[in-house]
Amino acid sequence: MSVNRKTARDALATLLSAALVGTGKPVATVLSYPPDAFSGITFPLCYIESAGSDRENDTNTGNKSIFDFDPVVMIPYIDADSGRTAPNPEDALDAIELLIAQTVQNRDNQNVAAWTWVKFREKSKTDFVKIGKVYRVEYFFLSVKMRDI
């Protein structure tokens, strides 16, 4: 039986939330889906977009599903209300990138109940996005290999 991609997306959100959110950690909110609006969301934000599926049929070892996900990190660039200046979002983005890399590359997060592996499928990309205000954004590109039931 094929596994639902939502299961993998939720498991990835849980993993990233544990790594990124909490006392002394750099992210305020992790969502397993893109938000429909940004009002009421506490930043820095990480959300996960589904980015495609590859379903393998293997009669010897069972069916496997590889799901692609794009975690997106958003940080308000300059925010007069909070005193945020240009270096702050870059420093935060760098800290978040390091934690995501450590989490994805951690052997303890491979071959677990949720999946066989999680890995980067290409290098991350950074940008500036204006949605009302300017945000510093980093896009990550991950793949997760699931065991089908």
Side-chain angles (χ1 to χ4, degrees), residues 14-55:
T14 299
L15 178 70
L16 291 178
S17 185
L20 300 174
V21 177
T23 304
K25 295 181 180 179
V27 172
T29 306
V30 172
L31 299 174
S32 63
Y33 53 87
D36 58 355
F38 293 105
S39 61
I41 290 181
T42 307
F43 288 89
L45 165 68
C46 176
Y47 65 88
I48 299 172
E49 297 177 346
S50 295
S53 301
D54 182 13
R55 306 283 185 156

Side-chain angles (χ1 to χ4, degrees), residues 79-124:
D79 185 355
D81 296 335
S82 69
R84 182 170 307 177
T85 60
N88 301 124
E90 286 303 311
D91 293 346
L93 209 57
D94 292 344
I96 295 166
E97 185 278 335
L98 176 62
L99 286 174
I100 290 174
Q102 290 172 338
T103 301
V104 170
Q105 295 171 339
N106 185 334
R107 290 183 185 267
D108 291 341
N109 295 327
Q110 308 300 322
N111 207 20
V112 296
W115 51 62
T116 305
W117 49 251
V118 57
K119 66 180 183 178
F120 291 99
R121 69 179 193 276
E122 64 182 87
K123 71 179 187 172
S124 67

